[in-house]
Amino acid sequence: MAKVLFVFPDQYFLDFLCSYYEEYDFITDGITNGISVLSKVVNQVPDLLLIYKNVENFDLKGFLVKKRIMKKISHISIFLVGDFQPDEILEYKKEKVEAFISDPINLQALTDRLFKHFNRKPPQLKKSTPMLMDIHAKDEIIIVQIEANFDPEKLIILNYRIRCFCNHKEINSPRILLIFPSLYPETISTRNLELLFHFRHFEELKIHDKNIKVLTNNNDLINLLEQHSQFSGFEKVNNYYDGIQSLNLDFNKSNKIPISHLQVGSTCIFDLYDETGDIRIPALTVITTEMKDFLMENERFLTYYSDKSLDEIMNQSSHEAEEGGIKQSDKISADYEDLVNYSDHIETVNAKLSLFLRKLEGFSAVIISENAYYQEMIKGNLDMYLDIDIYSFEDELMEFMKRKRTILAFIDQNLTQDNPLKVLQKIRTFASRRQISVIILAKKITISELSHFKQFGTDYILLAPFDNHKILTKVFNALYLDRKSNE
């Protein structure tokens, strides 16, 4: 198996990368200490180095020089991650850097590039319903909803996002409600549960079983959870409200109610517990004479967990209590925040875009530009999907494009050997938008210039500086929309 060494300053993201690509059968390791990079590379001799451009105490340029002259490691391929200026791209290319990855990292694009680099067949997109995931939080309570399937890669991303959120919010003991409305049985496995609940093993987090609640009616999942001691301690709840309320309890704010203080006909908006921790009176239950008499014989007091006073939670009519319960439910269901915003270093490509790009194999794109930065950035981001050619102005354009099976052309707005509008016009004399999409490369463009390009057959403009996401999105829009709108 191929060995990949990641050099990245963020330990959490480094752990994530290693776990994520182990699922794709790579041997992975990582390092955050720039001082030790060279010695680790010499000792391990990985097949590929993926290096973040800005690592503390790491002289990237000096490392590249040493790598070039050390025979043992000179052959190792390098991918660089970060934001790069045009002159940096050209300088690093001289040191045989093979790919420039934008930050945040587009996982699907990086995965495709790794598979292409190692001549491995890219993983097939699953034909089954993809794993649907929603993850958000309020205060220290994290709510995760997963439907359809368990997907190992997405479960690893889920854990990374929980970890980042807790780090940003300085939460040491999160409380987690997991909701599984529907799951196909074929992906309910011990291995996937281990990936799902990996957050319990992060050293900086202390998560007790009592602070993990599971809401599901899936018997296959319930049985598997109960069969394994590492999962059997999680409480199964019957509905969303109960799950949130039980996690919302502040066990540092317990209050005792003598049984004699319970009034027949009143209700309590909180669950009441006995000394062993069992619920004696569920929230919103009307207290009857029989109930109070029974409790008087067996208990001295009951406990509720809240900073509210006894008057606030007792002596309400059923109608008032129900209203109080509804208001409380509304309160705990409001103002959630999305955990996705806290994972800074990754972005995911939607399946539609990934599938579309993979179908481009065998077709070509041509770059009509003398700008080395434009050439390198486009080639670096697209050559795993398309054959990329640089147009020579000595060739006849139409014959060149036919020979190369061109479906996409990039035209530099600042050509020195020709007028970009004339080049676009030439393309449109023998190819419609449905046959060849055209993207204009520019540093800036006026409304008048844009109008001229639209008139001659394209409204797709890619403004420098480029990054992976910008290039892939623009290519998808150009190819997909041109063909869809001109059928």
Side-chain angles (χ1 to χ4, degrees):
M1 291 191 293
K3 293 195 296 183
V4 182
L5 177 64
F6 300 103
V7 182
F8 207 88
D10 185 324
Q11 184 65 57
Y12 291 172
F13 187 62
L14 199 61
D15 292 344
F16 162 75
L17 282 176
C18 290
S19 298
Y20 188 82
Y21 284 106
E22 282 173 1
E23 288 298 312
Y24 288 107
D25 294 326
F26 290 101
I27 299 173
T28 65
D29 198 0
I31 184 170
T32 60
N33 181 2
I35 297 175
S36 306
V37 171
L38 182 61
S39 61
K40 190 150 192 170
V41 172
V42 171
N43 290 330
Q44 293 192 0
V45 192
D47 300 298
L48 173 68
L49 281 168
L50 191 142
I51 304 175
Y52 189 68
K53 183 175 123 179
N54 299 315
V55 175
E56 189 175 356
N57 300 318
F58 181 56
D59 178 7
L60 176 58
K61 294 180 181 178
F63 169 79
L64 292 175
V65 171
K66 293 175 183 176
K67 174 184 173 297
R68 184 191 343 128
I69 63 178
M70 296 179 69
K71 187 175 181 180
K72 183 178 180 180
I73 62 173
S74 60
H75 67 285
I76 298 173
S77 302
I78 293 181
F79 290 1
L80 291 183
V81 179
D83 297 319
F84 301 92
Q85 297 300 317
D87 56 337
E88 289 182 301
I89 296 283
L90 301 180
E91 184 178 356
Y92 288 131
K93 285 295 291 186
K94 295 176 183 177
E95 297 294 344
K96 298 183 179 179
V97 173
E98 298 188 21
F100 297 90
I101 312 298
S102 300
D103 182 31
I105 291 175
N106 184 310
L107 285 176
Q108 188 60 63
L110 176 58
T111 302
D112 287 343
R113 178 159 290 285
L114 287 173
F115 274 78
K116 182 178 179 64
H117 177 79
F118 289 110
N119 294 315
R120 288 174 54 183
K121 188 175 180 180
Q124 296 296 313
L125 292 177
K126 299 176 178 64
K127 294 182 179 180
S128 58
T129 305
M131 174 175 142
L132 305 176
M133 177 175 68
D134 180 65
I135 174 170
H136 52 275
K138 183 178 181 183
D139 299 325
E140 296 190 3
I141 298 177
I142 297 172
I143 299 95
V144 179
Q145 181 166 316
I146 296 175
E147 294 187 67
N149 286 294
F150 284 134
D151 183 314
E153 291 80 17
K154 289 185 179 179
L155 294 176
I156 294 171
I157 293 174
L158 166 66
N159 275 265
Y160 172 62
R161 286 178 169 156
I162 290 175
R163 193 177 196 185
C164 288
F165 173 78
C166 292
N167 179 55
H168 278 278
K169 295 291 187 176
E170 298 183 347
I171 297 172
N172 297 319
S173 301
R175 305 165 189 178
I176 300 178
L177 172 63
L178 296 120
I179 306 170
F180 307 100
S182 61
L183 287 169
Y184 297 124
E186 55 267 23
T187 60
I188 300 175
S189 66
T190 302
R191 170 60 178 159
N192 282 337
L193 289 185
E194 289 172 347
L195 290 174
L196 170 62
F197 293 107
H198 182 70
F199 55 77
R200 300 167 66 224
H201 303 295
F202 294 141
E203 292 181 358
E204 72 278 7
L205 299 182
K206 306 299 180 186
I207 307 177
H208 301 289
D209 284 1
K210 68 180 178 64
N211 284 334
I212 299 176
K213 312 294 181 181
V214 176
L215 172 56
T216 185
N217 290 320
N218 188 301
N219 290 326
D220 292 325
L221 178 59
I222 292 172
N223 291 336
L224 189 58
L225 288 170
E226 291 177 347
Q227 288 171 12
H228 292 270
S229 57
Q230 56 181 321
F231 311 130
S232 59
F234 308 153
E235 181 185 355
K236 287 73 177 177
V237 295
N238 295 321
N239 56 69
Y240 179 83
Y241 177 78
D242 286 347
I244 291 294
Q245 186 191 42
S246 60
L247 290 172
N248 225 1
L249 297 178
D250 188 342
F251 287 91
N252 295 319
K253 295 179 179 178
S254 61
N255 293 279
K256 291 180 169 51
I257 305 175
I259 300 300
S260 59
H261 280 50
L262 297 179
Q263 297 182 16
V264 174
S266 67
T267 58
C268 176
I269 64 172
F270 293 108
D271 293 326
L272 299 181
Y273 297 79
D274 62 18
E275 292 184 68
T276 64
D278 291 332
I279 294 178
R280 280 297 188 178
I281 302 180
L284 306 183
T285 300
V286 178
I287 297 172
T288 64
T289 302
E290 293 78 12
M291 186 186 301
K292 183 175 180 178
D293 290 344
F294 175 80
L295 291 172
M296 290 284 288
E297 294 178 4
N298 296 278
E299 306 288 345
R300 292 179 301 159
F301 56 82
L302 296 178
T303 304
Y304 68 96
Y305 298 91
S306 173
D307 56 358
K308 291 181 179 295
S309 68
L310 182 60
D311 291 337
E312 289 181 276
I313 69 166
M314 296 296 299
N315 299 322
Q316 303 179 72
S317 67
S318 298
H319 176 70
E320 290 172 335
E322 288 174 5
E323 284 188 345
I326 292 171
K327 289 177 181 177
Q328 184 187 20
S329 178
D330 289 341
K331 183 179 179 182
I332 63 178
S333 301
D335 301 325
Y336 288 115
E337 53 185 319
D338 193 340
L339 267 65
V340 174
N341 300 328
Y342 291 90
S343 49
D344 299 329
H345 299 296
I346 62 169
E347 64 176 11
T348 54
V349 182
N350 65 58
K352 183 178 181 181
L353 173 56
S354 178
L355 182 62
F356 181 85
L357 291 171
R358 290 182 185 179
K359 288 182 177 179
L360 299 180
E361 184 177 357
F363 291 97
S364 295
V366 60
I367 303 171
I368 305 173
S369 173
E370 303 144 278
N371 187 310
Y373 169 72
Y374 290 173
Q375 295 173 5
E376 293 298 338
M377 284 301 293
I378 293 171
K379 286 175 62 178
N381 284 285
L382 291 178
D383 65 358
M384 79 276 287
Y385 306 114
L386 288 158
D387 294 327
I388 307 295
D389 295 294
I390 310 299
Y391 173 65
S392 170
F393 290 91
E394 299 174 357
D395 292 338
E396 205 286 318
L397 183 60
M398 183 172 68
E399 293 302 321
F400 179 90
M401 288 187 161
K402 285 183 178 179
R403 185 171 70 250
K404 296 292 186 177
R405 295 187 69 200
T406 302
I407 61 169
L408 176 64
F410 295 91
I411 304 176
D412 190 342
Q413 183 194 18
N414 297 308
L415 293 176
T416 59
Q417 297 194 41
D418 208 339
N419 184 300
L421 286 171
K422 289 183 178 179
V423 174
L424 175 57
Q425 191 174 21
K426 287 179 185 178
I427 294 174
R428 286 292 170 251
T429 58
F430 65 85
S432 67
R433 293 182 67 152
R434 190 175 188 276
Q435 295 169 306
I436 298 179
S437 298
V438 176
I439 298 175
I440 305 301
L441 307 173
K443 291 183 179 179
K444 60 181 179 179
I445 192 167
T446 66
I447 296 177
S448 175
E449 290 168 331
L450 177 59
S451 178
H452 282 108
F453 283 121
K454 286 184 177 180
Q455 181 183 350
F456 281 91
T458 186
D459 52 0
Y460 301 112
I461 311 296
L462 184 57
L463 295 176
F466 310 142
D467 60 29
N468 178 282
H469 178 75
K470 187 185 292 186
I471 293 173
L472 293 182
T473 303
K474 188 66 68 174
V475 168
F476 172 76
N477 288 338
L479 292 173
Y480 180 75
L481 294 177
D482 273 352
R483 279 141 187 79
K484 181 178 180 180
S485 61
N486 288 277
E487 291 178 347

